[in-house]
Amino acid sequence: YPVKLSLPASATLGLFGPGLSTPVAAIAQAHLGDIRVFEWREETQGALRRSVTLAKLDKRVTVSAIDLETFSAPAEAFDGIVSFDDFSHADNAARLAQQITRALKPKAMAVIETYCGVPGTDLAAAFASAFCEPQIRPAAAVAALLEDAGLRVDASDDITDAHIEAAKAGFRRLADALKEAGALSPGAGRELAWETEAWRVRVRLLASRRLERRCFTVTRR
């Protein structure tokens, strides 16, 4: 995504909602400048900070805890922004779009990756162990929110197939890791079972296009 944003090493990148360290590490390889991470999942913030330190990225990557519904973004602080799943869980998506606009420098770009679909009770099972209830909206509704907030939507790419393949590859790697790790604690086993079942449902909904994975490329007007 830093390549898509055409950011030089001197640029400051805002990264919202990566969850754990894998997206941060990948983006840090692509963008060699400052990265400011904003994470709203309380359960992952500590692990994310530790991973950044262990990877020796802490000199140029900072991690801040935010409340997704109430945080105030720094004004015109970023040359580009990448957002993962914030719009999949924000109750007030219009306010979130406004904060992304506020945080971008004029004419700067953002890449927003999120789930989209028509709201319905059948989607809840696909996010059974999520950190808060999913807030899924049609792609056109997300695009309208972004436009209303002062962002020009340059592209709305359907990346569902690639997302499904990435999820399947991730579970293959997990299976290999579990073989090496041996027995899990009861709590870890329960959490893994919940997560596996949620992803099984999610992949089925994605494959049927009941749920989509979208990547919006936007520019602050």
Side-chain angles (χ1 to χ4, degrees):
Y1 287 142
V3 174
K4 180 177 283 193
L5 296 175
S6 301
L7 294 180
S10 59
T12 300
L13 175 67
L15 177 54
F16 290 77
L20 289 172
S21 61
T22 301
V24 178
I27 286 175
Q29 285 186 337
H31 176 62
L32 301 180
D34 292 336
I35 301 173
R36 295 177 61 185
V37 179
F38 299 89
E39 180 53 58
W40 48 269
R41 300 168 183 84
E42 293 181 4
E43 290 84 352
T44 69
Q45 290 161 359
L48 183 54
R49 287 194 180 95
R50 289 191 295 274
S51 296
V52 166
T53 300
L54 288 172
K56 298 182 179 179
L57 293 171
D58 49 318
K59 289 185 177 180
R60 62 186 183 92
V61 179
T62 62
V63 180
S64 299
I66 63 169
D67 183 302
L68 191 59
E69 307 299 336
T70 63
F71 83 100
S72 181
E76 298 185 2
F78 301 116
D79 301 286
I81 286 175
V82 177
S83 165
F84 289 114
D85 279 323
D86 305 303
F87 283 89
S88 301
H89 293 92
D91 286 329
N92 192 341
R95 184 182 187 281
L96 175 58
Q98 292 165 1
Q99 293 305 309
I100 288 178
T101 303
R102 169 185 167 86
L104 284 170
K105 294 178 180 178
K107 308 302 181 183
M109 297 174 66
V111 174
I112 297 167
E113 190 173 319
T114 187
Y115 290 108
C116 293
V118 177
T121 56
D122 60 322
L123 298 179
F127 299 86
S129 60
F131 301 97
C132 58
E133 290 300 315
Q135 300 293 331
I136 309 301
R137 303 165 179 85
V142 176
L145 289 169
L146 298 171
E147 292 276 0
D148 289 346
L151 298 165
R152 184 182 72 240
V153 177
D154 301 313
S156 172
D157 298 318
D158 184 344
I159 59 170
T160 303
D161 289 337
H163 188 64
I164 291 172
E165 290 307 310
K168 290 179 178 179
F171 272 98
R172 287 193 293 268
R173 291 193 299 271
L174 176 61
D176 291 339
L178 289 174
K179 289 178 183 177
E180 296 179 5
L184 295 173
S185 69
R190 284 193 298 271
E191 182 63 30
L192 182 60
W194 293 332
E195 189 72 15
T196 300
E197 177 59 19
W199 268 101
R200 186 189 66 79
V201 176
R202 195 180 309 183
V203 169
R204 176 172 56 79
L205 293 175
L206 287 164
S208 69
R209 287 305 193 272
R210 173 67 182 87
L211 190 64
E212 288 182 335
R213 187 71 171 181
R214 285 270 168 179
C215 178
F216 294 90
T217 305
V218 300
T219 302
R220 180 177 173 179
R221 294 195 188 98

